[in-house]
PDB file of all heavy atoms in Angstrom:
ATOM      1  N   SER A  81      -1.484  -3.605  -5.698  1.00  0.00           N
ATOM      2  CA  SER A  81      -0.662  -4.804  -5.477  1.00  0.00           C
ATOM      3  C   SER A  81       0.301  -4.410  -4.453  1.00  0.00           C
ATOM      4  O   SER A  81       1.031  -3.467  -4.467  1.00  0.00           O
ATOM      5  CB  SER A  81       0.184  -5.179  -6.808  1.00  0.00           C
ATOM      6  OG  SER A  81       0.956  -6.144  -6.650  1.00  0.00           O
ATOM      7  N   MET A  82       0.414  -5.261  -3.382  1.00  0.00           N
ATOM      8  CA  MET A  82       1.363  -5.270  -2.331  1.00  0.00           C
ATOM      9  C   MET A  82       2.241  -6.328  -2.402  1.00  0.00           C
ATOM     10  O   MET A  82       1.919  -7.620  -2.471  1.00  0.00           O
ATOM     11  CB  MET A  82       0.651  -5.024  -0.948  1.00  0.00           C
ATOM     12  CG  MET A  82      -0.095  -3.786  -0.771  1.00  0.00           C
ATOM     13  SD  MET A  82      -1.576  -3.632  -1.580  1.00  0.00           S
ATOM     14  CE  MET A  82      -2.599  -4.977  -1.027  1.00  0.00           C
ATOM     15  N   ILE A  83       3.636  -6.127  -2.268  1.00  0.00           N
ATOM     16  CA  ILE A  83       4.612  -7.199  -2.151  1.00  0.00           C
ATOM     17  C   ILE A  83       5.133  -7.227  -0.744  1.00  0.00           C
ATOM     18  O   ILE A  83       5.717  -6.114  -0.434  1.00  0.00           O
ATOM     19  CB  ILE A  83       5.717  -6.968  -3.192  1.00  0.00           C
ATOM     20  CG1 ILE A  83       5.131  -6.907  -4.593  1.00  0.00           C
ATOM     21  CG2 ILE A  83       6.731  -8.255  -3.158  1.00  0.00           C
ATOM     22  CD1 ILE A  83       6.079  -6.500  -5.676  1.00  0.00           C
ATOM     23  N   TRP A  84       4.917  -8.204  -0.068  1.00  0.00           N
ATOM     24  CA  TRP A  84       5.286  -8.204   1.363  1.00  0.00           C
ATOM     25  C   TRP A  84       6.725  -8.816   1.495  1.00  0.00           C
ATOM     26  O   TRP A  84       7.419  -8.990   0.446  1.00  0.00           O
ATOM     27  CB  TRP A  84       4.454  -9.140   2.183  1.00  0.00           C
ATOM     28  CG  TRP A  84       3.029  -8.750   2.049  1.00  0.00           C
ATOM     29  CD1 TRP A  84       1.990  -9.305   1.363  1.00  0.00           C
ATOM     30  CD2 TRP A  84       2.359  -7.462   2.467  1.00  0.00           C
ATOM     31  NE1 TRP A  84       0.742  -8.632   1.334  1.00  0.00           N
ATOM     32  CE2 TRP A  84       1.165  -7.514   2.101  1.00  0.00           C
ATOM     33  CE3 TRP A  84       2.774  -6.398   3.043  1.00  0.00           C
ATOM     34  CZ2 TRP A  84       0.196  -6.410   2.322  1.00  0.00           C
ATOM     35  CZ3 TRP A  84       1.976  -5.357   3.403  1.00  0.00           C
ATOM     36  CH2 TRP A  84       0.642  -5.365   2.974  1.00  0.00           C
ATOM     37  N   GLU A  85       7.333  -8.751   2.639  1.00  0.00           N
ATOM     38  CA  GLU A  85       8.740  -9.225   2.727  1.00  0.00           C
ATOM     39  C   GLU A  85       9.176 -10.483   2.243  1.00  0.00           C
ATOM     40  O   GLU A  85      10.003 -10.616   1.524  1.00  0.00           O
ATOM     41  CB  GLU A  85       9.097  -9.162   4.319  1.00  0.00           C
ATOM     42  CG  GLU A  85      10.559  -9.327   4.613  1.00  0.00           C
ATOM     43  CD  GLU A  85      10.916  -9.288   5.983  1.00  0.00           C
ATOM     44  OE1 GLU A  85      10.290  -8.670   6.774  1.00  0.00           O
ATOM     45  OE2 GLU A  85      11.964  -9.763   6.318  1.00  0.00           O
ATOM     46  N   SER A  86       8.273 -11.581   2.597  1.00  0.00           N
ATOM     47  CA  SER A  86       8.695 -12.876   1.969  1.00  0.00           C
ATOM     48  C   SER A  86       7.531 -13.837   2.064  1.00  0.00           C
ATOM     49  O   SER A  86       6.327 -13.372   2.597  1.00  0.00           O
ATOM     50  CB  SER A  86       9.738 -13.516   2.763  1.00  0.00           C
ATOM     51  OG  SER A  86       9.361 -13.779   4.149  1.00  0.00           O
ATOM     52  N   ALA A  87       7.560 -15.007   1.603  1.00  0.00           N
ATOM     53  CA  ALA A  87       6.583 -15.941   1.692  1.00  0.00           C
ATOM     54  C   ALA A  87       6.006 -16.235   3.081  1.00  0.00           C
ATOM     55  O   ALA A  87       4.955 -16.671   3.366  1.00  0.00           O
ATOM     56  CB  ALA A  87       6.907 -17.251   0.858  1.00  0.00           C
ATOM     57  N   SER A  88       6.937 -16.053   4.141  1.00  0.00           N
ATOM     58  CA  SER A  88       6.627 -16.446   5.475  1.00  0.00           C
ATOM     59  C   SER A  88       6.514 -15.077   6.278  1.00  0.00           C
ATOM     60  O   SER A  88       6.210 -15.147   7.506  1.00  0.00           O
ATOM     61  CB  SER A  88       7.707 -17.312   6.070  1.00  0.00           C
ATOM     62  OG  SER A  88       8.948 -16.568   6.111  1.00  0.00           O
ATOM     63  N   VAL A  89       6.742 -13.863   5.726  1.00  0.00           N
ATOM     64  CA  VAL A  89       6.574 -12.679   6.494  1.00  0.00           C
ATOM     65  C   VAL A  89       5.839 -11.716   5.681  1.00  0.00           C
ATOM     66  O   VAL A  89       6.172 -11.237   4.660  1.00  0.00           O
ATOM     67  CB  VAL A  89       7.976 -12.103   6.774  1.00  0.00           C
ATOM     68  CG1 VAL A  89       7.834 -10.850   7.571  1.00  0.00           C
ATOM     69  CG2 VAL A  89       8.770 -13.026   7.433  1.00  0.00           C
ATOM     70  N   TYR A  90       4.497 -11.437   6.032  1.00  0.00           N
ATOM     71  CA  TYR A  90       3.514 -10.688   5.295  1.00  0.00           C
ATOM     72  C   TYR A  90       2.548 -10.086   6.328  1.00  0.00           C
ATOM     73  O   TYR A  90       2.441 -10.495   7.346  1.00  0.00           O
ATOM     74  CB  TYR A  90       2.794 -11.657   4.290  1.00  0.00           C
ATOM     75  CG  TYR A  90       2.292 -12.819   4.945  1.00  0.00           C
ATOM     76  CD1 TYR A  90       1.157 -13.030   5.618  1.00  0.00           C
ATOM     77  CD2 TYR A  90       3.060 -14.117   4.787  1.00  0.00           C
ATOM     78  CE1 TYR A  90       0.669 -14.149   6.207  1.00  0.00           C
ATOM     79  CE2 TYR A  90       2.712 -15.245   5.403  1.00  0.00           C
ATOM     80  CZ  TYR A  90       1.441 -15.194   6.092  1.00  0.00           C
ATOM     81  OH  TYR A  90       0.988 -16.511   6.697  1.00  0.00           O
ATOM     82  N   ALA A  91       1.660  -9.152   5.823  1.00  0.00           N
ATOM     83  CA  ALA A  91       0.594  -8.574   6.591  1.00  0.00           C
ATOM     84  C   ALA A  91      -0.606  -9.637   6.614  1.00  0.00           C
ATOM     85  O   ALA A  91      -1.017  -9.969   5.620  1.00  0.00           O
ATOM     86  CB  ALA A  91       0.103  -7.332   5.991  1.00  0.00           C
ATOM     87  N   SER A  92      -0.887 -10.062   7.748  1.00  0.00           N
ATOM     88  CA  SER A  92      -2.176 -10.905   7.819  1.00  0.00           C
ATOM     89  C   SER A  92      -3.418 -10.297   7.795  1.00  0.00           C
ATOM     90  O   SER A  92      -4.388 -10.928   7.358  1.00  0.00           O
ATOM     91  CB  SER A  92      -2.049 -11.701   9.221  1.00  0.00           C
ATOM     92  OG  SER A  92      -2.132 -10.769  10.260  1.00  0.00           O
TER      93      SER A  92
END
Side-chain angles (χ1 to χ4, degrees):
S81 175
M82 288 78 57
I83 302 167
W84 308 110
E85 182 175 345
S86 69
S88 61
V89 182
Y90 48 82
S92 60

